Amino acid sequence: MSLMGFQRRRRELVKKRKSELEALNLNQLRALAKERGIKDIVHMNKAQLVAELGDH
């Protein structure tokens, strides 16, 4: 696979993962963040949690 193909595939996977996270409600996102050891989840809104979880 070429580098461009790899980058495109990675972008597609990131987009899919983000849409899966956005489908969860706030409490589900907080539980997932807690499992992953992300701190200060109480002060984050849904968009921030999706972004943070997408990075992990």
Side-chain angles (χ1 to χ4, degrees), residues 10-55:
R10 172 138 172 78
R11 267 195 313 270
E12 289 170 1
L13 289 172
V14 167
K15 208 185 249 186
K16 181 180 179 205
R17 173 105 175 105
K18 185 177 178 189
S19 67
E20 289 171 352
L21 288 171
E22 288 173 342
L24 299 175
N25 69 35
L26 187 57
N27 287 331
Q28 291 168 320
L29 287 169
R30 284 182 175 161
L32 190 56
K34 191 174 183 179
E35 284 177 17
R36 297 205 180 153
I38 298 172
K39 304 291 182 206
D40 297 327
I41 57 176
V42 177
H43 304 292
M44 293 185 189
N45 63 30
K46 185 173 179 176
Q48 290 169 320
L49 282 169
V50 168
E52 190 71 30
L53 288 165
D55 292 342

